[in-house]
Amino acid sequence: MLKITRHNIDIELVQGDISQQPGIDAIVNAANAQLESGGGVAGAIHRAAGPGLADECRPMAPIKPGEAVISSGQRLPNPFVIHCLGPVYGKDKPSDRLLADCYRNALLLADKQKITSIAFPAISTGIFGYPIAPAAEVALNTILDTLIELKFLRRIKIVLFDQDMMNVFEKQMALLRRE
Ligand code: AR6
């Protein structure tokens, strides 16, 4: 685990499963446009939440790349899920801008609901093919740039599935720590 604190908000990197984050108000889903279950993060979240999650999300679909919508957590240990559609790398352009929109919109939506803790996966870095190092840079820079606008959030967790991804994010975070 690696943690920095800026503007009174903790930003943590941890290795783990986004669908198993008790103690966090909102987890972020790397969703598809239809807000259905799928592979990767979306599959894990929908499986853990139960079929009520897809039922609740259906009326909000489809969403566009960069957009974020909120639902309850159904059977998850978290009261809320924020569903973001990341860009398909090289197809939805500009990919960096759309990926930044995901993080920014999710944070602002959470804060609007007075949510105090949120956990993100590395959006778009799986099936959507975004290379991990540039995705880490966009994720961390966008989170830092948005902090000043947040009134309620106190804890932002980034949950990385494996050690390789953790190493890449840690490297990027280390650059920020020195600032
Ligand atoms: N917890 C944390 N991270 C995970 C988990 C997990 N349980 N499972 C995978 N990852 P992806 P995307 C990592 O493919 O690229 C879905 O089918 C994974 O290693 O879930 O935004 C949707 O329905 C990768 O680094 O999301 C969409 O169609 C990262 O999380 C599409 O895939 C994101 O991988 C979205 O693709």
Side-chain angles (χ1 to χ4, degrees):
M1 206 262 264
L2 189 59
K3 183 170 101 174
I4 62 169
T5 306
R6 294 281 154 85
H7 296 284
N8 222 10
I9 302 174
D10 292 337
I11 304 165
E12 297 166 29
L13 297 182
V14 294
Q15 195 184 339
D17 182 337
I18 191 73
S19 68
Q20 291 172 34
Q21 299 296 322
I24 295 289
D25 294 339
I27 58 167
V28 175
N29 182 15
N32 49 66
Q34 296 305 323
L35 302 174
E36 289 166 349
S37 186
V41 166
I45 289 179
H46 278 267
R47 267 194 305 280
L53 188 63
D55 293 341
E56 188 184 338
C57 287
R58 204 163 294 119
M60 295 189 282
I63 63 168
K64 297 190 191 73
E67 201 180 333
V69 295
I70 190 164
S71 72
S72 79
Q74 296 284 337
R75 292 185 199 150
L76 285 161
N78 321 92
F80 301 101
V81 178
I82 294 180
H83 307 262
C84 288
L85 179 60
V88 176
Y89 190 70
K91 176 173 169 277
D92 298 318
K93 290 174 185 166
S95 292
D96 55 350
R97 178 65 189 275
L98 292 169
L99 186 60
D101 286 348
C102 284
Y103 285 93
R104 180 178 160 75
N105 288 331
L107 289 170
L108 295 178
L109 183 56
D111 204 62
K112 210 168 140 192
Q113 306 289 327
K114 303 191 163 106
I115 283 167
T116 61
S117 55
I118 188 169
F120 285 93
I123 299 168
S124 282
T125 63
I127 292 165
F128 284 178
Y130 209 117
I132 295 169
E137 192 178 345
V138 170
L140 291 169
N141 286 339
T142 306
I143 289 170
L144 282 186
D145 289 346
T146 310
L147 294 182
I148 190 122
E149 297 173 63
L150 305 174
K151 293 191 177 69
F152 297 95
L153 271 167
R154 285 291 160 264
R155 186 174 178 205
I156 300 169
K157 223 171 155 179
I158 304 179
V159 181
L160 300 160
F161 212 35
D162 59 43
Q163 191 58 51
D164 286 351
M165 295 196 48
M166 187 77 186
N167 292 342
V168 176
F169 272 74
E170 275 183 3
K171 247 189 207 166
Q172 187 64 35
M173 181 93 122
L175 296 174
L176 302 173
R177 274 175 113 187
R178 279 199 286 272
E179 282 168 13

